[in-house]
Amino acid sequence: MDVDDLRRPGQLRRLNCALLKLWGLRPCIGDAELVLTELATNAFQHGGGDDITVTWCADAARLIIQVKDSSHERPVLRAVDEVSERGRGLCIVEALAAEWGISEDGTTVHCALALPGRAA
């Protein structure tokens, strides 16, 4: 990861915040920011660098965030403990998301956050 890559998760958080405010989804900004940061950081660190795409979409009950990179190596949910310094990203995503998954080719991780007060 170079210096520019270190800045990108922060840039994505600001974009996420602005977009969700525009969409009237303020209640999920915090959780969305956290899962986006974890997925984007993983993509920058392990996914081949510059070729990363983030997509947001919302339906009546969910906000869906997808992060695509150029690596076909599938991310792995690791067992971590209180002293683990790394490997918590997908654990955080799993804890916050109503659902999450990885594309068959390993290039895209998506998660869906339930929107407070909205029916599925």
Side-chain angles (χ1 to χ4, degrees):
M1 252 175 108
D2 66 22
V3 174
D4 288 334
D5 288 344
L6 293 172
R7 293 185 186 121
R8 289 185 181 149
Q11 293 166 341
L12 287 169
R13 283 191 300 273
R14 288 188 292 282
L15 181 59
N16 177 75
C17 184
L19 179 64
L20 297 185
K21 284 179 181 178
L22 179 67
W23 287 354
L25 301 176
R26 287 178 186 260
C28 68
I29 288 174
D31 286 352
E33 212 171 64
L34 191 50
V35 298
L36 174 60
T37 299
E38 295 301 333
L39 296 179
T41 299
N42 283 349
F44 286 116
Q45 289 180 345
H46 308 290
D50 295 329
D51 190 19
I52 292 169
T53 303
V54 178
T55 306
W56 292 261
C57 64
D59 61 23
R62 306 173 307 159
L63 171 67
I64 300 163
I65 299 173
Q66 294 183 348
V67 177
K68 179 181 174 82
D69 60 46
S70 58
S71 174
H72 291 279
E73 186 174 329
R74 294 174 61 83
V76 176
L77 180 63
R78 300 181 190 175
V80 295
D81 59 30
E82 59 275 351
V83 296
S84 298
E85 292 184 17
R86 298 178 55 98
R88 298 183 190 284
L90 288 179
C91 292
I92 292 169
V93 172
E94 183 172 67
L96 293 175
E99 63 182 74
W100 72 279
I102 304 163
S103 64
E104 285 189 30
D105 67 359
T107 62
T108 305
V109 179
H110 71 274
C111 67
L113 299 173
L115 296 177
R118 298 194 183 188

